[in-house]
Amino acid sequence: MIKIQNPNFSIRQICDSGQCFRMTPLDKAHYRLIAGGRYVELIQEADGVMLLTDENEMDFWKYYFDLDTDYSWFAASIPETDIYLRKAADFGKGIRILRQDLWEMIITFILSQRNNIRRIRQCVESLCLVCGEKKQTAGKTYHAFPSARAILEAGEEGLAACRLGYRTKYILKTARMAEDGLVDLGAIKGMAYPKAKTELLKLCGVGEKVADCICLFGLHCMDAFPVDTHIRQVLDCHYPEGFPFSDYSGYGGIMQQYIFYYDLMKDKIDQEN
DNA sequence: TCCCAGGCTTGGT
DNA sequence: ACCAAGCATGGG
């Protein structure tokens, strides 16, 4: 059990931010997370987050949660004149850009296209259940995210149970390309954002938006700014003259997350009222 | 029954 | 280079 005290670290906000899909609430402030083949449980406390794991796993999770970065700085850099972004950044001040596994992000965000967040979670979980390696730690069993080979071995027949729809053939083609080395994931990890994105666009089912999500969440390219239907609407409404990307050079991605989360939560609150 | 969900591929100009 | 269809599935 290790406690992380940080005012810019909210498990609940990260869970709802739409960047990770295998973090799930077990109880009110108690979460489970499966990532990078590992399992951890987390408890949100008033002044930080408790990680239910032992010392030798901590380096991995500190890196995963990007805990060496000061996230208060990002919000502080927003000009006072931008009321909307100030508000969004304050509302989502516990969000961090996770350092997730590249392959996992590639498949996950291919599955995300024309899909809702609830069902994205279902698809990912189902995929892991069907062909992810079964593991266990401290009496908990879970399924890791499947490798390209495991996905190929499952094939169209095996994946049918996952109900991925037309996306099944996309992830099969992409897994084939990765397995055949037509795209070199190891090499992509060493590339700067524009080149990495160009490489990712070669994959089947990966377009502009999905490539940017993979860059931001799987490569930690903080300048990637995925534009989906929600972000498009917000930008058209609040930034008719265009979003000031140059004000946030090198870290536009976190601003995108603040906007996305703020917009998403507003919808949720509207539904409840 | 129709519409939408963190879009992309394909096949027409 | 640009533009529409078409795409599987589940939930409201």
Side-chain angles (χ1 to χ4, degrees):
Chain A
M1 297 226 304
I2 288 103
K3 171 106 175 240
I4 305 289
Q5 288 192 334
N6 192 321
N8 300 105
F9 186 17
S10 165
I11 288 300
R12 182 181 57 76
Q13 290 188 357
I14 291 170
C15 183
D16 291 336
S17 71
Q19 60 174 309
C20 58
F21 299 92
R22 300 197 77 193
M23 186 185 286
T24 49
L26 299 172
D27 205 342
K28 181 142 185 68
H30 187 182
Y31 292 79
R32 173 189 63 196
L33 167 63
I34 302 164
R38 296 163 197 252
Y39 177 104
V40 71
E41 289 180 18
L42 309 131
I43 296 170
Q44 182 70 52
E45 299 186 346
D47 57 341
V49 174
M50 184 83 85
L51 284 86
L52 276 59
T53 185
D54 49 76
E55 196 68 48
N56 59 10
E57 293 271 293
M58 274 310 290
D59 281 349
F60 176 86
W61 295 115
K62 277 184 179 171
Y63 181 77
Y64 180 87
F65 286 111
D66 197 27
L67 288 175
D68 287 335
T69 302
D70 175 15
Y71 276 73
S72 68
W73 183 87
F74 297 126
S77 78
I78 303 169
E80 291 176 21
T81 49
D82 194 337
I83 312 282
Y84 177 81
L85 193 51
R86 277 258 180 187
K87 220 170 160 185
D90 184 60
F91 185 77
K93 56 176 170 281
I95 296 174
R96 313 178 71 81
I97 305 294
L98 306 180
R99 293 180 181 270
Q100 301 185 75
D101 178 74
L102 175 59
W103 174 247
E104 192 167 333
M105 291 301 96
I106 291 173
I107 298 303
T108 296
F109 279 95
I110 288 175
L111 295 180
S112 79
Q113 69 179 256
R114 206 171 157 181
N115 211 341
N116 58 60
I117 292 181
R118 210 178 89 87
R119 210 167 85 84
I120 296 167
R121 291 179 185 279
Q122 284 179 8
C123 289
V124 171
E125 214 46 49
S126 180
L127 179 66
C128 293
L129 202 64
V130 165
C131 50
E133 185 190 347
K134 192 172 183 180
K135 293 188 154 194
Q136 82 184 341
T137 178
K140 315 273 185 179
T141 63
Y142 62 99
H143 289 263
F145 196 88
S147 65
R149 184 172 302 173
I151 289 171
L152 289 170
E153 280 171 4
E156 204 161 339
E157 310 76 35
L159 296 181
C162 300
R163 317 292 291 171
L164 307 178
Y166 67 90
R167 307 166 192 89
T168 299
K169 63 175 186 294
Y170 292 172
I171 71 168
L172 280 171
K173 282 188 184 178
T174 286
R176 172 52 59 198
M177 287 181 74
E179 191 64 10
D180 291 348
L182 292 173
V183 287
D184 184 348
L185 301 192
I188 289 177
K189 287 179 187 173
M191 292 176 189
Y193 167 51
K195 198 172 177 199
K197 182 172 174 180
T198 304
E199 277 303 296
L200 290 168
L201 285 170
K202 294 178 182 173
L203 296 169
C204 184
V206 176
E208 283 282 323
K209 184 267 172 184
V210 168
D212 275 329
C213 284
I214 298 167
C215 285
L216 183 56
F217 305 128
L219 294 167
H220 209 72
C221 296
M222 292 290 279
D223 40 351
F225 192 102
V227 178
D228 62 21
T229 52
H230 293 139
I231 296 290
R232 183 76 272 156
Q233 273 193 333
V234 173
L235 293 191
D236 288 348
C237 177
H238 292 275
Y239 300 91
E241 312 295 313
F243 186 78
F245 289 104
S246 58
D247 289 357
Y248 313 105
S249 178
Y251 60 99
I254 184 67
M255 299 302 163
Q256 190 272 4
Q257 276 301 99
Y258 291 145
I259 294 170
F260 182 81
Y261 177 73
Y262 188 49
D263 194 56
L264 199 69
M265 288 302 121
K266 257 198 320 194
D267 288 349
K268 271 197 177 180
I269 292 163
D270 287 347
Q271 279 173 15
E272 286 165 14
N273 295 348

